[in-house]
Amino acid sequence: MELELQLRKRQGAFSLTVDLTVSGERLGLFGPSGSGKSSLAGLLAGLSRPDDGRIILDGRTLFDAEKRIDLPPERRRIALVFQQHALFPHLNVRQNLLYGHRRCPAAQRRIELEEVADVLGLTPLLAQQPAKLSGGERQRVALGRAVLASPRLLIMDEPLSALDDDLRHRIIPYLRLVSERFTIPFLFISHSLLEMRLMTERVAVLEKGELRAVVSPEELARQRMGQQPAGYINLLQVGPPRQTQGLLAFPWAGGELLLSDATLPEAGTVELSSKEIILCRRHPEAISARNLLPCTVRHLFDAGRKTGVELDCNGATLIAEIVPDAAHELAITPGSTIWAAIKASAFRRL
Amino acid sequence: MTIAPTDIQAMQLSVKVGAVATLAALPLGFYAAWLLVFGRFRGKLLLELLFNLPLILPPVVVGYLLLLLVGVEGPLGRLLGMAGIRIIFTWKAAVLASLVVGFPLLVRSIRLAMEGIDPQLLQAGRSLGAGPLDLTLTVILPLSRRGILAGSSLFFARSLGEFGATIIVAGSIPGVTQTLPLAIYDYASSPDGEGTALLLCLVSVVLSVAVLLLHETVLQRGKAA
Amino acid sequence: MHTPIRIILITLCMLLFALPSWATELHLSVAASLRESTNELTALFQMQHPGVSFRNNFGASGALAKQIEAGAPADLFISANREWVDYLIGKRLADAQSSSIFAYNQLVVAGRPGLKIRSIQDLLQLKRIAIGSPTSVPAGEYAMQALKKTGIDRQVAHRLVLAKDVRACLLYADRGEVDAAFVYRTDALMLSKQAKILYVVPEGLHERVSYPMVLTVAGARKPDAQAFIRFLSSPEAKAILKKRGFELR
């Protein structure tokens, strides 16, 4: 997908100015609340009208102020998934799913109900009314409804924000699965760095109505880690564990990680905050932290008031953060070897 | 105290006028409410005032204005006359009077329901490929169903009670345009008609209470849902 | 006590005690069609009797009678027909002995100026005729009597537009909604350009159109009410009624 935007829109005291050309199948739009993310989504979908500029999606002009082109939303084929599912309360799940499908021109219709219902686990729910569904089920129906419209672009506007942590991580695989399986490019809107990294390959950063940067989600997470309460979240792929002395030992990077809070004794992804990693210049003789990993410093980077340290841990990457003074004192420079100490309780299952 | 055949006709006529007026008013009322809620145009406030005018004008004034409009010499009356249609002093005039006087109630009720629809549902509908008319029929209409039902029952009840405008444009011709309230007025203004007047009042009360009960039921169910 | 205060107090006392002795209020309940003439008559009487003031209540005769029955203040009742006067006398709310005729009127057919109506049968040439609802409007009742007596009541039945009162009949005739209307002569005299009197219905065809009046039980006890009813048969009162198109004998 290739998206070319040149937009200006004033709404009272707020003004939105975006000049952006991006391509990719999994795009992100990141920014704090009030930065204009949802307004931009509305402009893209044709729900509101820019004051000036143009929108071109895959070579097709959706809006052009000069040429007086303004396709109505129903002809843009951009489907939306909202934070609040927005399911039609008077229709059952099947009718909701088919709402966009029926309205999609036959020539462009390439996704069928059975397949989507199957992928999203909605088959047993087809006859239900939306009011009877749980939050996660509703969001899956909303996603399925959007996908079934065979859109040229799927906009997901904070689709996970209304869900609790647990549910959120269970929905994310569905979101990724659906876009890959049905090859629908999407624009994922969120204020969560972690969601951006899990969902997107390219992120546009919006602040106070202005486009700040277009970066990879990884870069963005590193730049912002100093401002995030949770720091940078390392995502570690671990193998199936074995039991040892009341802890679980997960294979990782040629060695093992000892985790205490492992509710799921199986392979998968675990989270580790950059704040939970303690760096030691020499091997500490006595320490309560269960994991002590020898690493090589790849490089240092500036992250606001903190300094980020990218470590090579037997080929795998770990990001730790320290205050600039500590970097100086410990003489941490690229190439130096160092010990990373991590408590067994610092990990979280994703 | 006797019940004349014309009194039975008055009851039937009241129900007929109410039913026809309600059916005729529904599409108009829906469209008017739609314009007020979703329309974007200049002079919306003016239109809103116009729709609400019959609510505050004395019905007699509405009747008089209708007489000027659809009377033989009136601008609309002349047009209709050319098409061979005469409204004045027929049951159609009673329908028209009911329609105009009850219209604000209907519009108000439908409008409230429409305003209660989550705008995101409409945005979702548009982005899923529904044009404005499609969206109106498949989302707005079903979601304002309760308002339409409540408004219709209120409108019908108002129509059963319509007197002031009707008696001017329709006259009070027994068996032709004399609805229940008109018959009651006729009897109540004659020295020996008191008994019949009271009996017809009772019929009127029973009819209106039944309709209002329906109205309340619709509203209660709306709250429960 | 200071003189000015004393003067004010004395004046107040005088006013308080003096007022009732020279001011009486008379309540009249009068058929709506007599509004203009009644107002003129009471104004004249008031000039001659400065102590009397009037509260005039105009409306449909039936409504007025029912109000009096319900206890509304009324000293004199002037009705558009006999029945409502008898109704009050029957309920012992009016003084039968005071009952007399206020004035007489004529039933006429008014309509489009070009029409020629020489007899009541000529009404059969017309498409629509307005008439007060015979059940509740006296003028309609008189008109119905005339139609029955001529034997054309069935033939014209479907052409009749029944109106709620004489004023509505006038409105329809004036606006051309009907070809003609049965109204009183006094009402027809107030018509504008659009309609005029086409035909005077002969007296023999219906009861004479009369406005009977009666003092209520309360009114019969008031000397001023007695004086007013006497005034109504004085030559100056009769002159006023005559000028407005009423008949007196």
Side-chain angles (χ1 to χ4, degrees):
Chain A
M1 174 196 60
E2 199 169 306
L3 184 62
E4 194 187 326
L5 292 179
Q6 262 184 302
L7 291 178
R8 265 198 306 284
K9 172 82 176 170
R10 283 196 74 87
Q11 272 169 321
F14 182 79
S15 86
L16 184 71
T17 315
V18 176
D19 197 336
L20 165 75
T21 306
V22 280
S23 58
E25 301 308 295
R26 301 188 286 132
L27 296 180
L29 185 58
F30 175 84
S33 57
S35 56
K37 302 189 298 287
S38 291
S39 305
L40 184 56
L43 293 172
L44 272 174
L47 302 174
S48 56
R49 227 187 111 113
D51 298 332
D52 198 10
R54 60 202 164 118
I55 304 171
I56 299 169
L57 176 63
D58 287 333
R60 187 161 167 243
T61 306
L62 303 183
F63 177 85
D64 192 324
E66 263 173 41
K67 292 185 192 155
R68 294 179 177 275
I69 296 174
D70 184 13
L71 283 189
E74 63 271 21
R75 288 184 48 210
R76 294 194 179 190
R77 297 189 49 231
I78 294 180
L80 288 160
V81 174
F82 300 98
Q83 181 175 345
Q84 305 293 340
H85 57 86
L87 296 180
F88 301 122
H90 59 295
L91 302 178
N92 66 19
V93 170
R94 172 192 291 275
Q95 292 163 326
N96 263 289
L97 286 173
L98 288 175
Y99 193 90
H101 186 259
R102 291 199 172 120
R103 286 164 177 79
C104 178
Q108 272 120 20
R109 211 184 282 160
R110 53 190 185 87
I111 300 166
E112 292 307 318
L113 174 72
E114 289 69 28
E115 211 181 345
V116 172
D118 188 43
V119 169
L120 291 174
L122 295 173
T123 312
L125 303 175
L126 288 177
Q128 297 265 29
Q129 291 301 122
K132 299 254 165 67
L133 303 180
S134 71
E137 288 168 340
R138 283 178 200 175
Q139 206 51 290
R140 267 146 60 202
V141 177
L143 178 65
R145 181 178 68 175
V147 166
L148 273 165
S150 305
R152 293 145 52 94
L153 170 65
L154 177 61
I155 298 181
M156 298 189 257
D157 189 358
E158 304 264 4
L160 305 172
S161 302
L163 307 175
D164 61 40
D165 259 3
D166 188 36
L167 211 48
R168 191 172 303 168
H169 292 309
R170 276 196 274 153
I171 294 283
I172 287 176
Y174 283 115
L175 296 179
R176 296 189 59 147
L177 187 63
V178 159
S179 98
E180 278 161 28
R181 174 84 168 266
F182 302 110
T183 56
I184 300 171
F186 65 75
L187 178 68
F188 185 89
I189 302 177
S190 176
H191 61 271
S192 154
L193 285 170
L194 184 59
E195 285 174 16
M196 281 298 158
R197 279 167 62 212
L198 291 171
M199 290 296 301
T200 67
E201 56 187 13
R202 204 92 187 116
V203 181
V205 181
L206 205 58
E207 254 167 41
K208 292 179 185 150
E210 276 177 50
L211 188 70
R212 292 279 185 246
V214 181
V215 292
S216 77
E218 189 58 37
E219 273 175 82
L220 181 67
R222 291 187 187 191
Q223 283 168 13
R224 302 278 166 134
M225 76 183 203
Q227 300 147 22
Q228 300 289 313
Y232 174 94
I233 306 289
N234 289 288
L235 295 170
L236 312 178
Q237 303 299 324
V238 293
R242 66 179 177 83
Q243 199 82 31
T244 167
Q245 299 154 6
L247 298 172
L248 287 169
F250 285 87
W252 179 71
E256 273 184 343
L257 288 177
L258 290 171
L259 272 70
S260 61
D261 188 28
T263 45
L264 274 176
E266 56 191 54
T269 308
V270 293
E271 286 181 19
L272 173 65
S273 165
S274 56
K275 293 187 167 173
E276 305 278 2
I277 303 173
I278 297 165
L279 299 184
C280 315
R281 200 72 183 87
R282 281 180 297 276
H283 187 289
E285 296 302 324
I287 189 165
S288 64
R290 288 296 86 195
N291 298 290
L292 211 51
L293 312 167
C295 307
T296 314
V297 175
R298 252 189 228 139
H299 76 106
L300 301 174
F301 56 91
D302 184 44
R305 268 175 267 154
K306 299 285 180 68
T307 297
V309 185
E310 186 184 322
L311 302 169
D312 182 329
C313 194
N314 201 12
T317 304
L318 267 187
I319 303 287
E321 65 173 74
I322 52 177
V323 291
D325 274 357
H328 198 70
E329 251 179 63
L330 297 178
I332 296 177
T333 49
S336 54
T337 52
I338 204 158
W339 292 89
I342 308 161
K343 288 160 87 177
S345 60
F347 299 92
R348 273 188 64 211
R349 257 332 263 253
L350 192 67
Chain B
M1 165 174 66
T2 48
I3 289 274
T6 50
D7 300 335
I8 305 291
Q9 285 172 332
M11 296 176 205
Q12 291 169 340
L13 188 66
S14 275
V15 174
K16 174 179 160 187
V17 166
V20 173
T22 309
L23 286 180
L26 269 178
L28 294 175
F30 184 82
Y31 184 57
W34 189 93
L35 274 181
L36 291 182
V37 177
F38 303 111
R40 274 181 232 154
F41 53 92
R42 277 162 189 275
K44 198 159 154 179
L45 190 72
L46 213 66
L47 194 71
E48 193 177 342
L49 273 172
L50 187 75
F51 287 154
N52 276 323
L53 212 53
L55 204 63
I56 43 168
L57 279 183
V60 182
V61 173
V62 175
Y64 184 69
L65 293 177
L66 282 177
L67 185 75
L68 298 191
L69 186 70
V70 299
V72 183
E73 300 290 316
L76 198 61
R78 257 183 228 197
L79 273 177
L80 289 169
M82 277 188 254
I85 302 168
R86 219 174 66 91
I87 287 188
I88 200 133
F89 306 135
T90 67
W91 68 275
K92 290 173 223 148
V95 169
L96 183 69
S98 284
L99 206 152
V100 172
V101 172
F103 198 62
L105 295 174
L106 183 67
V107 172
R108 194 160 280 236
S109 191
I110 299 179
R111 189 182 159 178
L112 276 176
M114 282 183 180
E115 281 168 347
I117 299 175
D118 178 1
Q120 235 166 38
L121 291 179
L122 307 177
Q123 298 182 341
R126 287 298 293 274
S127 74
L128 288 169
L133 180 66
D134 186 356
L135 190 76
T136 301
L137 294 177
T138 57
V139 178
I140 298 175
L141 180 68
L143 289 182
S144 30
R145 198 182 63 228
R146 252 174 255 288
I148 293 171
L149 269 172
S152 312
S153 51
L154 202 61
F155 178 92
F156 185 73
R158 175 68 184 86
S159 160
L160 285 182
E162 184 9 66
F163 174 83
T166 308
I167 203 161
I168 291 185
V169 277
S172 178
I173 311 168
V176 181
T177 65
Q178 196 179 66
T179 56
L180 211 44
L182 271 52
I184 292 171
Y185 174 81
D186 215 13
Y187 281 115
S189 323
S190 108
D192 49 5
E194 200 161 69
T196 318
L198 281 174
L199 190 73
L200 293 184
C201 277
L202 192 71
V203 173
S204 180
V205 167
V206 169
L207 215 55
S208 305
V209 165
V211 174
L212 282 179
L213 221 62
L214 180 81
H215 174 74
E216 285 302 315
T217 319
V218 170
L219 284 187
Q220 290 304 318
R221 250 197 241 153
K223 264 179 217 156
Chain C
M1 202 181 271
H2 297 291
T3 320
I5 296 176
R6 191 181 300 169
I7 292 171
I8 291 170
L9 275 176
I10 290 170
T11 318
L12 270 176
C13 287
M14 277 173 65
L15 275 173
L16 271 174
F17 293 107
L19 263 174
S21 66
W22 26 273
T24 355
E25 202 168 57
L26 290 182
H27 293 265
L28 307 189
S29 290
V30 183
S33 52
L34 302 175
R35 178 189 291 269
E36 290 79 10
S37 28
T38 305
N39 282 338
E40 199 175 340
L41 288 166
T42 51
L44 180 62
F45 186 78
Q46 236 175 330
M47 267 174 27
Q48 296 168 0
H49 303 77
V52 180
S53 62
F54 286 93
R55 286 286 164 89
N56 297 343
N57 181 16
F58 300 101
S61 305
L64 295 172
K66 298 239 164 123
Q67 285 169 10
I68 293 170
E69 187 185 356
D75 298 309
L76 179 66
F77 175 50
I78 310 180
S79 170
N81 67 357
R82 186 79 238 160
E83 285 159 12
W84 287 112
V85 170
D86 292 342
Y87 179 84
L88 285 184
I89 293 173
K91 302 238 170 195
R92 299 186 180 281
L93 292 164
D95 173 25
Q97 294 199 318
S98 67
S99 173
S100 59
I101 301 297
F102 171 74
Y104 297 96
N105 211 339
Q106 273 182 319
L107 189 67
V108 302
V109 174
R112 233 179 320 126
L115 292 172
K116 294 260 182 296
I117 307 287
R118 290 192 189 82
S119 70
I120 204 138
Q121 276 86 358
D122 286 351
L123 290 178
L124 290 173
Q125 304 160 5
L126 307 181
K127 272 207 220 132
R128 260 175 291 281
I129 305 148
I131 158 179
S133 174
T135 322
S136 57
V137 184
E141 210 179 335
Y142 296 129
M144 204 44 111
Q145 286 170 1
L147 292 173
K148 278 194 178 138
K149 195 134 188 180
T150 330
I152 61 165
D153 55 323
R154 302 222 162 168
Q155 286 159 276
V156 293
H158 66 282
R159 303 170 194 208
L160 295 183
V161 170
L162 275 64
K164 77 170 187 319
D165 51 32
V166 176
R167 297 284 156 119
C169 293
L170 275 174
L171 172 68
Y172 297 152
D174 204 25
R175 292 213 42 87
E177 303 298 345
V178 293
D179 302 310
F182 281 99
V183 295
Y184 294 128
R185 191 174 122 85
T186 51
D187 295 314
L189 290 177
M190 296 189 291
L191 278 175
S192 55
K193 59 282 154 189
Q194 300 273 353
K196 64 171 196 130
I197 296 176
L198 301 173
Y199 176 66
V200 178
V201 183
E203 299 266 315
L205 289 180
H206 58 81
E207 269 177 64
R208 188 153 189 214
V209 182
S210 61
Y211 295 92
M213 61 182 169
V214 71
L215 286 174
T216 62
V217 176
R221 289 196 217 104
K222 291 187 183 170
D224 284 320
Q226 305 266 13
F228 182 65
I229 210 167
R230 275 198 303 280
F231 161 80
L232 290 179
S233 47
S234 68
E236 37 194 342
K238 286 185 171 174
I240 288 175
L241 289 170
K242 193 150 202 145
K243 180 189 76 191
R244 291 202 172 259
F246 290 98
E247 294 187 320
L248 298 157
R249 196 70 303 263

